[in-house]
Amino acid sequence: MIRQCICPKCSKKCILDIDKYNNEIEVNGNLCNQGIKYANMEINNNKAILTTLVRIKGAKCNVIPVRSNKPIDKSIWIECSKALSRLHVGAPIKCGDIVCTNILNTGIDIISTKTVAKFIL
């Protein structure tokens, strides 16, 4: 088995077991044909939205959730995570605010997915 994932294509939310032999893909666990299409896309597509946490100063919480505004090649996710681990943002911050512009010169921005108010004593 190469990968196991949950298919989001229908309301059944099947757990797919995806195997790849040579260039042929075998899918088990799907209850409809959309699961096979999703598994092929998941194995062949090497990009996805990066979601992670970034540290924040001046708020009740220590971190905020962030995501990329476009899919990022999975081969550079570790480098992106390392770059974001050195980043501290200041409160207040709104959902959708850009936290990091043009990460690793990819042209992709990292945006906040939560609104956090400034902490006042």
Side-chain angles (χ1 to χ4, degrees):
M1 177 176 61
I2 290 179
R3 188 157 180 201
Q4 191 174 45
C5 63
I6 298 173
C7 178
K9 293 297 180 182
C10 70
S11 61
K12 297 174 187 169
K13 305 295 182 224
C14 304
I15 298 174
L16 305 177
D17 294 322
I18 306 169
D19 290 323
K20 188 172 184 179
Y21 303 104
N22 298 328
N23 280 334
E24 219 166 293
I25 295 173
E26 182 181 325
V27 181
N28 294 314
N30 60 304
L31 298 176
C32 65
N33 288 335
Q34 291 180 4
I36 296 171
K37 292 177 187 175
Y38 177 75
N40 281 314
M41 182 193 74
E42 191 69 21
I43 288 294
N44 295 323
N45 188 2
N46 203 25
K47 290 186 173 185
I49 299 292
L50 172 68
T51 58
T52 188
L53 299 171
V54 170
R55 287 182 268 187
I56 187 168
K57 292 181 180 180
K60 285 185 179 181
C61 54
N62 295 328
V63 293
I64 57 165
V66 296
R67 70 173 179 85
S68 59
N69 65 344
K70 297 177 190 169
I72 295 179
D73 195 337
K74 292 178 183 178
S75 64
I76 62 169
W77 276 18
I78 292 173
E79 290 86 12
C80 289
S81 294
K82 286 179 183 177
L84 292 171
S85 72
R86 295 186 295 266
L87 184 68
H88 288 79
V89 295
I93 193 161
K94 295 180 188 172
C95 183
D97 283 354
I98 296 175
V99 172
C100 178
T101 305
N102 191 17
I103 188 161
L104 299 179
N105 294 323
T106 58
I108 298 170
D109 298 334
I110 304 298
I111 60 172
S112 170
T113 59
K114 184 178 179 181
T115 299
V116 178
K118 190 170 186 174
F119 181 67
I120 301 172
L121 293 175

